[in-house]
């Protein structure tokens, strides 16, 4: 079955710098890859997603890239701000239409 | 105002008691899901439902039960058979299972005393 690995588990960056979180997946049939942001004590919120027919998608300061050959996808946040501090989760939709989740990355924005 | 609501936000239970967590959505979504989240970990699927009166076990269904009598509602019962029930429980819904995007409620934090 599908397995998703996410790195790093914790990422600390200076405010204004960029942050990159990476995920790898194992099932080549997976075709949908969402990213969620979870603030403390709240439910995850979808921030961006990508389907396997495109290699990159951008929404303001957030972008996601997908390399199907290497089976990895990444979240890029530019010009980081204090409100970007949260836990970020990647996921991949497996062949049974179930989302398989990464373990999460705690992003810390240092002032 | 559309969305997913979960209640209560915090729940305390004594060992040996069953407890039911509520999840309601007014998004007209067919698919609904229950996840469990433990500190510092990702989400694990407990149960999911693609349509009224039908549901399937996820990866960690033991000690849990669900019902789907109405499209809008998908309550989760944590039974006394669940050995380690203290966790953060998240409900999600999606237009249907194959359209991928899941939207989450605010969660219920269950603590067993």
């Amino acid at each position: 079955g599908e397995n998703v690995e996410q790195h790093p588990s914790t990422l600390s960056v200076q405010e204004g710098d960029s942050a990159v979180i990476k995920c790898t997946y194992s099932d080549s049939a997976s075709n949908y890859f969402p990213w969620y942001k979870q603030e403390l004590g709240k439910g995850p919120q979808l921030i961006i997603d990508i389907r396997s027919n495109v290699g990159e998608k951008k929404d303001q300061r957030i972008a996601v890239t997908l390399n199907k050959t290497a089976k990895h996808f990444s979240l890029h946040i530019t010009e980081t701000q204090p409100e970007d501090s949260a836990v970020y989760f990647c996921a991949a939709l497996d062949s049974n239409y179930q989302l398989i989740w990464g373990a999460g990355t705690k992003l810390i924005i240092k002032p | 105002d559309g969305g997913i609501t979960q209640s209560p936000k915090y729940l305390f239970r004594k060992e040996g008691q069953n407890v039911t967590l509520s999840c309601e959505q007014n998004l007209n979504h067919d698919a609904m899901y229950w996840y469990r989240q433990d500190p510092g970990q990702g989400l694990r699927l407990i149960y999911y439902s693609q349509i009224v009166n039908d549901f399937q076990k996820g990866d960690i269904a033991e000690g849990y039960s669900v019902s789907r009598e109405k499209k809008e509602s998908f309550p989760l019962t944590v039974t006394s058979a669940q050995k380690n029930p203290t966790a953060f429980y998240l409900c999600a819904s999606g237009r249907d299972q194959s359209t991928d995007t899941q939207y989450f409620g605010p969660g219920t934090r269950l603590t067993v005393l």
Side-chain angles (χ1 to χ4, degrees), chain B residues 4-107:
Chain B
I4 305 171
T5 57
Q6 291 185 242
S7 61
K9 187 171 179 64
Y10 299 96
L11 190 55
F12 297 89
R13 185 196 99 175
K14 293 182 179 180
E15 280 192 33
Q17 289 181 336
N18 292 355
V19 63
T20 298
L21 282 59
S22 169
C23 178
E24 303 277 334
Q25 53 98 1
N26 60 4
L27 300 168
N28 200 32
H29 285 169
D30 284 319
M32 296 188 75
Y33 308 82
W34 274 106
Y35 291 92
R36 171 183 171 136
Q37 186 176 33
D38 292 285
Q41 298 187 28
L43 281 65
R44 293 186 289 169
L45 183 65
I46 305 172
Y47 268 99
Y48 63 101
S49 168
Q50 300 177 56
I51 198 168
V52 174
N53 292 323
D54 186 47
F55 47 84
Q56 287 79 40
K57 293 181 179 180
D59 298 323
I60 56 166
E62 186 175 351
Y64 300 98
S65 65
V66 294
S67 63
R68 187 87 187 275
E69 297 177 0
K70 298 186 300 181
K71 187 175 185 177
E72 302 80 18
S73 178
F74 190 40
L76 173 74
T77 296
V78 184
T79 75
S80 56
Q82 170 50 236
K83 297 305 178 187
N84 185 21
T86 294
F88 190 46
Y89 290 88
L90 289 159
C91 178
S93 72
R95 191 153 49 97
D96 59 62
Q97 195 181 18
S98 64
T99 54
D100 327 319
T101 304
Q102 295 182 19
Y103 300 91
F104 283 83

Side-chain angles (χ1 to χ4, degrees), chain A residues 31-32 36 38 41-46 49 51 87 89 93 96-104, chain B residues 9 33 35 37 40-43 45 48 88 90 97-107 109:
Chain A
N31 60 8
Y32 174 69
Y36 285 80
Q38 186 178 28
K42 298 183 178 180
Q45 299 296 312
L46 180 71
D49 55 13
R51 300 183 190 276
V87 179
F89 290 96
L93 193 75
N96 294 317
Y97 298 113
Q98 297 305 315
L99 278 179
I100 309 301
W101 296 80
Chain B
K9 187 171 179 64
Y33 308 82
Y35 291 92
Q37 186 176 33
Q41 298 187 28
L43 281 65
L45 183 65
Y48 63 101
F88 190 46
L90 289 159
Q97 195 181 18
S98 64
T99 54
D100 327 319
T101 304
Q102 295 182 19
Y103 300 91
F104 283 83
R109 186 166 300 280

